[in-house]
Amino acid sequence: EVQLVQSGGGLAQPGGSLRLSCVGSGFTFISYGMNWVRQAPGEGLEWISYISGDSDTIFYADSVKGRFTISRDNAKNSLSLQMNRLRDDDTAVYYCARRVFGFNYYFDSWGQGTLVAVSS
Amino acid sequence: DIQLTQSPSSLSASVGDTVTISCQASQDINNYLNWYQQKPGKAPKVLIYDASNVETGVPSRFSGSGSGTDFTLTISGLQPEDFATYYCQQYESPLLTFGPGTKVDVK
């Protein structure tokens, strides 16, 4: 069974930092591109970052570019999101999501979500 | 960035109804359009990929159509478990975007 288990998150002050993690199991982790998607309270979904299986290709949404860093450790089946210079509007539930294998680009498996709250 | 708009933003329907949700892209995205369902407190679930392909395990009452800039998700014979919020998502650009969502609730 494919599983993505998230950890990290919590409360941070504006300007502070947090790190999110996501561990995959039940599949060949290196074969899949991975993403982070967030959802502010009561709002819609926002894709924020993608990393290819070999880490060669990385994309960020403009809203987090220069502040957030996506990375992965395939030896540990682990995906991370380092979030720096946090702002109030970064408050959201953050999901890791697996890109389906192949040319198509949709999210076929999701983590359980973790809440990041940015407040002074 | 490619912008997606959805209409309506919300709708009320009854079990058995046929529901249609529209998604419009700000530029031609070919058929690089997916649809998700999300229930409160849960992660989204893909329903339709590449505009019209039903994901494995998704009931056949869900269907998708469209290409270019205009797309439609149809639920034929709404079931109690279908009351949820629906999002479209494009991948013509590597900077992925979602539509704002359409909430389907009970009439």
Side-chain angles (χ1 to χ4, degrees):
Chain A
E1 178 194 6
V2 172
Q3 278 198 312
L4 296 170
V5 178
Q6 298 181 224
S7 60
L11 179 64
Q13 292 192 332
S17 299
L18 280 176
R19 187 176 183 88
L20 306 183
S21 296
C22 170
V23 174
S25 62
F27 64 102
T28 304
F29 190 75
I30 194 173
S31 296
Y32 289 83
M34 297 295 296
N35 300 262
W36 289 99
V37 176
R38 70 182 181 183
Q39 187 168 35
E43 301 296 323
L45 301 166
E46 180 188 17
W47 169 85
I48 58 172
S49 189
Y50 166 80
I51 185 168
S52 60
D54 58 8
S55 301
D56 273 0
T57 301
I58 289 175
F59 295 111
Y60 296 100
D62 290 344
S63 58
V64 305
K65 194 169 187 177
R67 301 187 299 121
F68 291 9
T69 301
I70 192 171
S71 62
R72 63 191 295 160
D73 182 343
N74 289 329
K76 298 180 179 179
N77 289 353
S78 177
L79 172 74
S80 296
L81 185 70
Q82 177 66 40
M83 303 184 294
N84 297 332
R85 292 158 44 202
L86 284 163
R87 310 186 307 216
D88 289 353
D89 61 358
D90 293 320
T91 295
V93 173
Y94 286 71
Y95 295 98
C96 60
R98 187 181 81 166
R99 174 182 176 175
V100 68
F101 186 82
F103 172 77
N104 310 89
Y105 200 146
Y106 61 91
F107 309 117
D108 68 345
S109 293
W110 298 70
Q112 81 274 20
T114 188
L115 178 63
V116 170
V118 183
S119 175
S120 54
Chain B
D1 291 4
I2 297 174
Q3 308 299 320
L4 298 177
T5 57
Q6 288 183 233
S7 60
S9 57
S10 65
L11 65 91
S12 298
S14 301
V15 172
D17 285 352
T18 292
V19 167
T20 299
I21 299 169
S22 296
C23 177
Q24 186 169 55
S26 58
Q27 64 186 70
D28 189 339
I29 58 170
N30 296 292
N31 67 333
Y32 300 151
L33 192 285
N34 308 313
W35 290 96
Y36 298 84
Q37 176 194 68
Q38 187 182 32
K39 297 181 179 179
K42 300 294 187 181
K45 169 189 168 184
V46 66
L47 301 173
I48 305 289
Y49 65 92
D50 293 350
S52 61
N53 295 291
V54 181
E55 173 70 339
T56 301
V58 172
S60 58
R61 63 181 178 273
F62 291 93
S63 63
S65 64
S67 67
T69 61
D70 294 294
F71 302 86
T72 300
L73 172 69
T74 300
I75 311 172
S76 301
L78 197 68
Q79 296 299 300
E81 60 269 29
D82 301 336
F83 293 102
T85 300
Y86 294 84
Y87 295 92
C88 54
Q89 172 246 318
Q90 66 79 25
Y91 71 97
E92 204 287 329
S93 163
L95 303 186
L96 310 181
T97 48
F98 287 91
T102 296
K103 185 176 181 179
V104 178
D105 63 18
V106 178
K107 181 184 286 184

